[in-house]
């Protein structure tokens, strides 16, 4: 076990190494999943893990209700504990364990973190973010809610097989396509453009560089493709096309494929990197 007091903060070191270009934008539950996994492995202390999971990207972040330090140290005491990320969407709730209130909250937040102990589902943790304050003085309040899993709840499935390969194939398909896509996942996303449910983090200590690069690429692609789809169809309707707009139809289909592939690759990458 590493002694968090014996050296400079792992978060501070990571932030020094990672400028804005290298920060990884992530849904808050996935950022917490990564840093909780690092803490459970002994790569950092709980203070560093909580600070790393908070990340940056907004004017101010205040966490209320559930204290993440207390939550993290309590999770550490569970037998054979593991944390699993979930990015649910309507019709795509595999990995959630309930209860119904947790599933509804996870769908609203589009993210969740499932805790298992001894191979049995224990609880689901979900963030809810709200911007408050006047223009120029905004603050972001993040409230975390923990939902105990129902007795006998089925285990979340393991990370999707082939998610990484599918994502890379879809990126190649997009590069060859004639559809106009305003996506540049190799470039950093301005922190001010992150959704309220996202943050930007330095990766935990001992992160494999190749895994970190794939994580960064998938996260940026998910964020950018989702924003493009929302801009093209803000109400989420599939009936926004008129005859003669075949190019727009093709572009929308490709964006959806990119978003779905990036979502699966991101869950796979975070789940693998968070493994104890």
């Amino acid at each position: 076990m590493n002694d968090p007091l014996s050296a400079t903060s792992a978060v501070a070191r990571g932030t020094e190494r990672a400028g804005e270009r290298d920060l990884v934008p992530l849904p808050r539950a996935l950022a917490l999943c990564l840093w909780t996994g690092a803490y459970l492995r002994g790569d950092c202390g709980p203070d560093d893990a909580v600070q790393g999971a908070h990340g940056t990207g907004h004017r101010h972040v205040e966490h209320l209700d559930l204290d993440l330090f207390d939550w993290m140290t309590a999770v550490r005491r569970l037998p054979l504990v593991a944390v699993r990320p979930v990015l649910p969407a309507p019709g795509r709730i595999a990995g959630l364990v309930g209860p119904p209130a947790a599933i509804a909250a996870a769908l609203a937040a589009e993210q969740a973190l499932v805790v298992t102990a001894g191979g049995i589902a224990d609880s689901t943790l979900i963030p809810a973010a709200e911007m408050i304050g006047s223009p120029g003085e905004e603050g972001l309040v993040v409230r975390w809610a923990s939902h105990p899993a129902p007795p006998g709840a089925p285990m979340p499935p393991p990370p999707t097989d082939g998610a990484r390969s599918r994502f890379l194939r879809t990126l190649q398909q997009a590069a060859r396509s004639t559809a106009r896509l305003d996506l540049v996942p190799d470039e950093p996303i301005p922190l001010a453009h992150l959704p309220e449910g996202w943050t930007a983090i330095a990766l935990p200590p001992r992160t494999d560089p190749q895994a970190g690069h794939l994580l960064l690429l998938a996260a940026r692609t998910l964020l950018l493709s989702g924003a493009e789809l929302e801009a093209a169809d803000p109400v989420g309707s599939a009936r926004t096309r008129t005859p003669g707009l075949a190019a727009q139809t093709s572009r929308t289909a490709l964006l959806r494929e990119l978003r779905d592939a990036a979502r699966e690759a991101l869950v796979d990458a975070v789940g693998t990197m968070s493994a104890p």
Side-chain angles (χ1 to χ4, degrees):
M1 176 61 59
N2 293 345
D3 181 356
L5 301 180
S6 64
T8 306
S9 163
V11 178
R13 294 196 303 270
T15 303
E16 290 170 2
R17 290 194 302 265
E20 182 172 330
R21 167 172 289 275
D22 299 317
L23 291 176
V24 179
L26 285 176
R28 294 181 181 276
L30 271 61
L32 181 60
C33 188
L34 274 179
W35 277 94
T36 300
Y39 165 57
L40 295 176
R41 290 191 303 271
D43 291 339
C44 63
D47 286 309
D48 285 345
V50 170
Q51 183 183 348
H54 282 177
T56 185
H58 291 281
R59 184 181 182 88
H60 173 67
V61 177
E62 182 179 2
H63 289 70
L64 302 177
D65 299 340
L66 180 71
D67 184 273
L68 291 184
F69 179 94
D70 292 343
W71 172 84
M72 199 174 290
T73 53
V75 163
R76 176 69 178 274
R77 293 192 291 269
L78 294 174
L80 300 175
V81 66
V83 287
R84 298 189 180 186
V86 186
L87 292 179
R92 294 172 177 262
I93 62 172
L96 293 177
V97 297
I103 294 177
L107 282 169
E110 299 181 339
Q111 57 184 296
L113 189 159
V114 175
V115 179
T116 66
I120 299 173
D122 176 82
S123 58
T124 300
L125 192 68
I126 303 165
E130 178 186 5
M131 192 71 73
I132 61 173
S134 57
E137 298 293 334
E138 299 92 341
L140 190 69
V141 174
V142 181
R143 291 181 170 87
W144 292 88
S146 180
H147 301 262
M155 284 289 297
T160 306
D161 290 336
R164 176 183 181 276
S165 298
R166 181 195 170 198
F167 171 58
L168 295 177
R169 285 197 306 269
T170 307
L171 280 180
Q172 293 172 350
Q173 178 185 348
R176 294 192 299 265
S177 172
T178 58
R180 180 177 175 271
L181 300 178
D182 297 324
L183 307 181
V184 188
D186 288 331
E187 292 296 321
I189 296 173
L191 299 181
H193 293 177
L194 295 181
E196 294 174 2
W198 287 55
T199 187
I201 67 168
L203 292 175
R206 299 205 304 169
T207 296
D208 177 76
Q210 289 187 338
H213 179 69
L214 176 67
L215 181 76
L216 181 63
L217 200 61
R220 288 175 176 171
T221 301
L222 175 60
L223 191 57
L224 292 170
S225 58
E228 284 283 299
L229 284 166
E230 185 175 350
D233 184 9
V235 298
S237 170
R239 298 189 300 273
T240 58
R241 315 177 191 105
T242 58
L245 294 182
Q248 178 63 24
T249 301
S250 175
R251 178 179 181 275
T252 299
L254 183 53
L255 281 170
R256 286 177 177 154
E257 189 171 355
L258 272 171
R259 178 197 59 191
D260 293 345
R263 181 192 290 121
E264 291 181 4
L266 190 56
V267 169
D268 176 61
V270 172
T272 300
M273 295 166 69
S274 303

